[in-house]
Amino acid sequence: MQHLSRFAFACASVMLMLLALLLLTFGMIDLLSALGHSWHAGRNAILQAISYVVIAVAVFDVAKYFVEEEVIQTSGKKSLGEARASLTKFITTIIIAVFIEGLVGVFETNTGAPSDILYPASLLVVATAIVISLGVFQRLSVDAERKKKKVGGEE
């Protein structure tokens, strides 16, 4: 069953990497096409291309995480520190993607109606909440790791 699981994660990872590459390609083609029509349309296409790149990087990082954690990782058990570091890297990529998407959204909506800013602003609030949650997670997991070492050292 473990081999089947690894194979499934490997296939999913390859598919995600290919989709990320297609998204990058689509973004560049769209950008070049828009620049061919007008420079004004190119401005919006540049912002859209940035979104595509950020999303593609996040998707690629998810695929990389799957490969590292589910395909290559041979030992079933990890230390708390290793698990924390791995999850922190993964969540940090997501945080960066959400922040950049929110910032791009702010720039895209700066000429629109004031209500258009609600979605990008909510992305920035959500990204901030994820950062705070990650900090709480880090604090709690470090405390748990210290307690485990302390209990293990007394025995």
Side-chain angles (χ1 to χ4, degrees):
M1 189 62 171
Q2 187 178 12
H3 293 295
L4 180 61
S5 175
R6 284 184 177 182
F7 178 73
F9 274 105
C11 290
S13 297
V14 169
M15 288 175 54
L16 285 172
M17 288 177 186
L18 290 173
L19 289 171
L21 185 60
L22 284 173
L23 189 58
L24 288 172
T25 304
F26 177 76
M28 291 310 296
I29 290 170
D30 192 36
L31 175 61
L32 294 174
S33 173
L35 286 173
H37 291 306
S38 75
W39 284 102
H40 181 70
R43 176 193 168 272
N44 294 332
I46 288 170
L47 289 173
Q48 194 64 42
I50 291 170
S51 292
Y52 288 155
V53 169
V54 169
I55 293 168
V57 167
V59 169
F60 193 85
D61 196 59
V62 168
K64 184 182 82 146
Y65 179 82
F66 284 163
V67 168
E68 290 173 348
E69 300 299 320
E70 301 295 337
V71 178
I72 296 173
Q73 187 77 354
T74 56
S75 64
K77 289 191 171 186
K78 290 175 102 175
S79 73
L80 291 176
E82 290 172 333
R84 184 179 66 252
S86 176
L87 186 61
T88 299
K89 278 184 4 182
F90 177 70
I91 294 296
T92 300
T93 302
I94 302 303
I95 290 169
I96 291 168
V98 173
F99 267 125
I100 291 175
E101 190 64 27
L103 289 173
V104 167
V106 166
F107 287 116
E108 286 178 339
T109 60
N110 69 353
T111 58
S115 63
D116 292 345
I117 200 79
L118 293 177
Y119 175 70
S122 66
L123 282 177
L124 296 173
V125 169
V126 167
T128 303
I130 297 171
V131 169
I132 292 168
S133 300
L134 181 61
V136 170
F137 167 76
Q138 290 282 6
R139 176 63 185 216
L140 292 175
S141 63
V142 166
D143 288 347
E145 194 172 348
R146 285 185 187 145
K147 284 181 184 178
K148 185 176 179 179
K149 284 181 181 177
K150 191 176 184 180
V151 170
E154 292 178 354
E155 293 178 355

